[in-house]
Amino acid sequence: MKLTISKNELNDAIQQVAKAASSRPAIPILGGIKIDVNHQYVTLTASDTDISIQSFITVEQGDTIIAQVEKPGSVVLPAKFFVEIVKKLPSDQVVIEVGPSYQTIIRSGSTEIQMVGLDPEEFPILPSVEQDEFLQVPGDLVKSMIRQTILAASTSEQTPILTGVLWNLQEGQLKFTATDRHRLASRTTKVDADGALQFSNVVISAKTLGELSRLIPDQNTLVDIVVAENQVLFKVDNILFYTRILDGTYPDTSKIIPQIFETELVLDTKNVMDAIDRAYLMSREEKTNIVRLATLEDGMIEISSSSTELGRVTEQLEAKSMSGQPLRIAFNSKYMLDVLKVIDSEQLFIGFTGAMRPIIIKPMDHDYSMYVILPYRTTN
């Protein structure tokens, strides 16, 4: 194999796929990036078997020649070193030449690097996904839905299914749900989907969705989503992103969401977020994160926290509206802040059904996202 290629194009593609290369590979090949070269494309692939990312560089883009292929071929190069070295090469052009036993020479300007390559035949075969039916969603919407739900996914591997986000598509409505049993986030959106295209209990690792979100450009890009039996394929521009669906059945979360509330508040999102953020500083020192909220007379609420060593924070805010029973409740301030940071609405609704019942938080200007936080039982 011998190839001359634009350093910038190569570097961009490597940065995209390297996220799927295993940092602690069980076998060396999983810590590598596979390069496939023919006269139309330079294809880079990385896989840790849970996720696989493939990026395509077109040899000619319009009148611009991105790569010159003298000899097609394939090789696998160690991702960690390959990523770093390409970034630091001195010239705009990079020559990659593979010799016997996959010994690889990389030249750029006056720099020459020799690398030990691996046999591409040993690289994992990418999942086979039928692409007849797919869902097309704007990239910024996918990123927003991921950001607004992964905060509630579990980080404990004791219940692997809860480390993921549940995807359901029914009658043109796509819904994401995440919970770690202490909090819940859900986000829905209408999508243009063929009426026959439906799926349920598709659970994708929150960590994987975070990586996907970073791959999706900020500008308006459409993401094609293909759901297969145990894999989901995302197509973004010239990138294919494969991820495994988590095994198991996601719990039914609908039963924990109350529909009728004893106390209802409407608050300014930024004001309440700032007040809880200040109270969080004190509760964090106590290593409990507990912040208390109490309704007062005259449409005011009180937010407070205390530390045995530092003292106490107390702040009063005016509610936009308040109705129902008087209330005193304690909750994890970090969980609440995580929610408040992703609510894209100037005002929010908080509903309570009692001091030890789930707290419901919703934006006021739309009904497509909803959050649940379980309160704390405290002695005072």
Side-chain angles (χ1 to χ4, degrees):
M1 175 186 126
K2 189 170 181 184
L3 163 76
T4 304
I5 187 168
S6 156
K7 173 192 161 181
N8 288 340
E9 293 284 342
L10 179 62
N11 184 53
D12 287 349
I14 290 172
Q15 297 293 334
Q16 290 161 349
V17 303
K19 296 175 175 65
S22 178
S23 55
R24 296 194 184 104
I27 52 174
I29 202 87
L30 294 179
I33 292 175
K34 183 184 178 190
I35 307 169
D36 291 298
V37 176
N38 61 36
H39 291 291
Q40 283 80 41
Y41 298 102
V42 176
T43 305
L44 285 86
T45 312
S47 176
D48 66 359
T49 68
D50 281 337
I51 67 169
S52 304
I53 304 175
Q54 195 166 58
S55 181
F56 299 90
I57 303 169
T58 309
V59 169
E60 293 184 21
Q61 295 179 9
D63 296 332
T64 308
I65 296 174
I66 303 296
Q68 293 175 303
V69 178
E70 286 187 45
K71 187 179 177 185
S74 302
V75 69
V76 177
L77 297 176
K80 190 174 179 183
F81 186 71
F82 191 38
V83 167
E84 290 300 320
I85 203 66
V86 169
K87 201 189 305 179
K88 295 175 181 177
L89 290 174
S91 172
D92 291 340
Q93 294 292 308
V94 180
V95 178
I96 303 174
E97 187 172 0
V98 180
S101 300
Y102 304 104
Q103 292 294 315
T104 302
I105 297 172
I106 299 174
R107 297 187 190 93
S108 180
S110 58
T111 301
E112 180 176 299
I113 297 134
Q114 296 188 19
M115 292 181 71
V116 177
L118 299 170
D119 183 353
E121 292 297 319
E122 295 179 10
F123 198 80
I125 297 170
L126 288 185
S128 175
V129 175
E130 290 287 336
Q131 298 183 31
D132 298 340
E133 287 189 323
F134 63 89
L135 181 65
Q136 200 168 64
V137 186
D140 54 353
L141 178 57
V142 175
K143 289 176 70 139
S144 171
M145 291 182 73
I146 291 171
R147 183 175 65 91
Q148 292 172 342
T149 51
I150 61 174
L151 59 99
S154 175
T155 54
S156 168
E157 291 295 336
Q158 288 185 330
T159 316
I161 196 77
L162 294 184
T163 63
V165 176
L166 173 68
W167 291 42
N168 280 314
L169 175 64
Q170 304 293 332
E171 296 176 355
Q173 183 143 298
L174 179 64
K175 182 177 184 180
F176 289 13
T177 306
T179 183
D180 61 4
R181 294 207 173 98
H182 301 288
R183 52 185 168 168
L184 178 144
S186 77
R187 174 73 156 84
T188 58
T189 188
K190 282 281 185 188
V191 291
D192 290 327
D194 185 337
L197 180 58
Q198 300 195 95
F199 53 78
S200 59
N201 201 52
V202 171
V203 185
I204 304 172
S205 158
K207 185 179 174 185
T208 296
L209 289 174
E211 293 292 357
L212 171 67
S213 184
R214 283 187 278 277
L215 272 180
I216 299 171
D218 288 332
Q219 62 266 33
N220 243 357
T221 306
L222 289 173
V223 179
D224 292 350
I225 304 168
V226 185
V227 177
E229 190 174 339
N230 61 353
Q231 291 279 336
V232 181
L233 167 61
F234 300 91
K235 298 168 73 174
V236 188
D237 289 340
N238 60 335
I239 302 166
L240 299 182
F241 185 107
Y242 298 83
T243 179
R244 185 174 61 85
I245 295 172
L246 296 183
D247 295 328
T249 303
Y250 206 83
D252 180 5
T253 57
S254 60
K255 297 184 179 69
I256 70 166
I257 301 167
Q259 304 299 323
I260 301 171
F261 304 102
E262 291 181 7
T263 309
E264 297 185 359
L265 301 176
V266 176
L267 302 170
D268 180 277
T269 305
K270 187 176 187 310
N271 288 349
V272 74
M273 180 168 69
D274 290 347
I276 291 173
D277 203 10
R278 288 186 281 270
Y280 167 64
L281 294 175
M282 187 75 77
S283 66
R284 185 183 63 189
E285 290 300 314
E286 194 71 0
K287 296 184 171 56
T288 60
N289 291 340
I290 291 177
V291 165
R292 293 172 177 80
L293 183 150
T295 56
L296 307 175
E297 294 179 3
D298 304 325
M300 302 293 286
I301 65 164
E302 182 179 272
I303 291 168
S304 63
S305 68
S306 59
S307 162
T308 49
E309 293 183 7
L310 292 177
R312 182 177 177 84
V313 173
T314 305
E315 191 160 342
Q316 292 188 3
L317 295 176
E318 185 177 358
K320 296 294 180 183
S321 74
M322 181 190 301
S323 63
Q325 302 295 319
L327 180 80
R328 289 181 62 83
I329 200 162
F331 52 84
N332 184 314
S333 52
K334 185 179 182 308
Y335 289 177
M336 184 67 83
L337 283 171
D338 286 347
V339 168
L340 297 177
K341 285 172 184 173
V342 300
I343 284 185
D344 49 0
S345 172
E346 290 186 3
Q347 294 182 5
L348 57 90
F349 166 90
I350 307 183
F352 306 90
T353 54
M356 287 312 298
R357 303 286 295 161
I359 304 166
I360 304 297
I361 306 142
K362 300 178 185 177
M364 281 299 290
D365 61 2
H366 60 77
D367 59 0
Y368 49 72
S369 60
M370 187 270 300
Y371 303 88
V372 181
I373 297 174
L374 294 182
Y376 275 144
R377 186 182 297 280
T378 59
T379 51
N380 59 340

